[in-house]
PDB file of all heavy atoms in Angstrom:
ATOM      1  N   ASP A1034      95.308  62.208  99.593  1.00 44.00           N
ATOM      2  CA  ASP A1034      95.419  61.549  98.302  1.00 44.00           C
ATOM      3  C   ASP A1034      94.218  61.960  97.362  1.00 44.00           C
ATOM      4  O   ASP A1034      93.074  61.773  97.770  1.00 44.00           O
ATOM      5  CB  ASP A1034      95.438  60.037  98.485  1.00 44.00           C
ATOM      6  CG  ASP A1034      95.558  59.343  97.192  1.00 44.00           C
ATOM      7  OD1 ASP A1034      95.948  59.907  96.178  1.00 44.00           O
ATOM      8  OD2 ASP A1034      95.202  58.097  97.166  1.00 44.00           O
ATOM      9  N   HIS A1035      94.531  62.515  96.249  1.00 42.00           N
ATOM     10  CA  HIS A1035      93.503  63.055  95.368  1.00 42.00           C
ATOM     11  C   HIS A1035      93.059  61.984  94.311  1.00 42.00           C
ATOM     12  O   HIS A1035      92.269  62.356  93.425  1.00 42.00           O
ATOM     13  CB  HIS A1035      93.967  64.297  94.626  1.00 42.00           C
ATOM     14  CG  HIS A1035      93.925  65.530  95.570  1.00 42.00           C
ATOM     15  ND1 HIS A1035      94.970  65.820  96.404  1.00 42.00           N
ATOM     16  CD2 HIS A1035      92.960  66.362  95.826  1.00 42.00           C
ATOM     17  CE1 HIS A1035      94.646  66.897  97.053  1.00 42.00           C
ATOM     18  NE2 HIS A1035      93.451  67.237  96.761  1.00 42.00           N
ATOM     19  N   ALA A1036      93.506  60.791  94.383  1.00 44.00           N
ATOM     20  CA  ALA A1036      93.134  59.762  93.391  1.00 44.00           C
ATOM     21  C   ALA A1036      91.568  59.608  93.367  1.00 44.00           C
ATOM     22  O   ALA A1036      90.963  59.539  92.262  1.00 44.00           O
ATOM     23  CB  ALA A1036      93.759  58.438  93.711  1.00 44.00           C
ATOM     24  N   ALA A1037      90.950  59.519  94.494  1.00 43.00           N
ATOM     25  CA  ALA A1037      89.502  59.400  94.566  1.00 43.00           C
ATOM     26  C   ALA A1037      88.764  60.644  94.123  1.00 43.00           C
ATOM     27  O   ALA A1037      87.597  60.618  93.823  1.00 43.00           O
ATOM     28  CB  ALA A1037      89.048  58.985  95.925  1.00 43.00           C
ATOM     29  N   HIS A1038      89.500  61.726  94.064  1.00 42.00           N
ATOM     30  CA  HIS A1038      88.944  63.062  93.778  1.00 42.00           C
ATOM     31  C   HIS A1038      89.129  63.363  92.239  1.00 42.00           C
ATOM     32  O   HIS A1038      88.557  64.352  91.791  1.00 42.00           O
ATOM     33  CB  HIS A1038      89.676  64.117  94.586  1.00 42.00           C
ATOM     34  CG  HIS A1038      88.947  65.404  94.740  1.00 42.00           C
ATOM     35  ND1 HIS A1038      87.832  65.519  95.443  1.00 42.00           N
ATOM     36  CD2 HIS A1038      89.241  66.637  94.258  1.00 42.00           C
ATOM     37  CE1 HIS A1038      87.443  66.807  95.429  1.00 42.00           C
ATOM     38  NE2 HIS A1038      88.283  67.481  94.714  1.00 42.00           N
ATOM     39  N   ALA A1039      89.827  62.547  91.543  1.00 45.00           N
ATOM     40  CA  ALA A1039      90.193  62.803  90.168  1.00 45.00           C
ATOM     41  C   ALA A1039      89.038  63.038  89.295  1.00 45.00           C
ATOM     42  O   ALA A1039      88.987  63.862  88.415  1.00 45.00           O
ATOM     43  CB  ALA A1039      91.088  61.697  89.657  1.00 45.00           C
ATOM     44  N   GLY A1040      87.920  62.262  89.451  1.00 45.00           N
ATOM     45  CA  GLY A1040      86.766  62.409  88.570  1.00 45.00           C
ATOM     46  C   GLY A1040      85.871  63.540  88.942  1.00 45.00           C
ATOM     47  O   GLY A1040      84.911  63.841  88.213  1.00 45.00           O
ATOM     48  N   HIS A1041      86.116  64.154  90.049  1.00 42.00           N
ATOM     49  CA  HIS A1041      85.267  65.290  90.525  1.00 42.00           C
ATOM     50  C   HIS A1041      85.695  66.600  89.838  1.00 42.00           C
ATOM     51  O   HIS A1041      86.787  67.037  90.057  1.00 42.00           O
ATOM     52  CB  HIS A1041      85.353  65.382  92.000  1.00 42.00           C
ATOM     53  CG  HIS A1041      84.555  66.531  92.615  1.00 42.00           C
ATOM     54  ND1 HIS A1041      83.247  66.458  92.696  1.00 42.00           N
ATOM     55  CD2 HIS A1041      85.007  67.710  92.993  1.00 42.00           C
ATOM     56  CE1 HIS A1041      82.818  67.564  93.213  1.00 42.00           C
ATOM     57  NE2 HIS A1041      83.889  68.345  93.415  1.00 42.00           N
ATOM     58  N   THR A1042      84.768  67.194  89.071  1.00 44.00           N
ATOM     59  CA  THR A1042      85.190  68.408  88.341  1.00 44.00           C
ATOM     60  C   THR A1042      84.231  69.509  88.617  1.00 44.00           C
ATOM     61  O   THR A1042      84.485  70.658  88.166  1.00 44.00           O
ATOM     62  CB  THR A1042      85.224  68.184  86.801  1.00 44.00           C
ATOM     63  OG1 THR A1042      83.957  67.677  86.404  1.00 44.00           O
ATOM     64  CG2 THR A1042      86.309  67.175  86.484  1.00 44.00           C
ATOM     65  N   ASP A1043      83.121  69.312  89.308  1.00 42.00           N
ATOM     66  CA  ASP A1043      82.160  70.398  89.532  1.00 42.00           C
ATOM     67  C   ASP A1043      82.563  71.305  90.683  1.00 42.00           C
ATOM     68  O   ASP A1043      82.289  71.063  91.853  1.00 42.00           O
ATOM     69  CB  ASP A1043      80.787  69.771  89.841  1.00 42.00           C
ATOM     70  CG  ASP A1043      79.721  70.851  90.036  1.00 42.00           C
ATOM     71  OD1 ASP A1043      79.888  71.969  89.529  1.00 42.00           O
ATOM     72  OD2 ASP A1043      78.647  70.532  90.640  1.00 42.00           O
ATOM     73  N   HIS A1044      83.249  72.381  90.316  1.00 41.00           N
ATOM     74  CA  HIS A1044      83.704  73.339  91.359  1.00 41.00           C
ATOM     75  C   HIS A1044      82.962  74.647  91.214  1.00 41.00           C
ATOM     76  O   HIS A1044      83.393  75.652  91.867  1.00 41.00           O
ATOM     77  CB  HIS A1044      85.261  73.556  91.245  1.00 41.00           C
ATOM     78  CG  HIS A1044      86.028  72.407  91.660  1.00 41.00           C
ATOM     79  ND1 HIS A1044      86.576  71.533  90.796  1.00 41.00           N
ATOM     80  CD2 HIS A1044      86.352  71.940  92.928  1.00 41.00           C
ATOM     81  CE1 HIS A1044      87.230  70.551  91.443  1.00 41.00           C
ATOM     82  NE2 HIS A1044      87.065  70.807  92.683  1.00 41.00           N
ATOM     83  N   ALA A1045      81.972  74.707  90.417  1.00 41.00           N
ATOM     84  CA  ALA A1045      81.292  75.949  90.228  1.00 41.00           C
ATOM     85  C   ALA A1045      80.546  76.364  91.502  1.00 41.00           C
ATOM     86  O   ALA A1045      80.047  75.596  92.273  1.00 41.00           O
ATOM     87  CB  ALA A1045      80.195  75.802  89.143  1.00 41.00           C
TER      88      ALA A1045
END
Side-chain angles (χ1 to χ4, degrees):
D1034 181 21
H1035 284 87
H1038 200 69
H1041 177 76
T1042 58
D1043 183 21
H1044 289 101

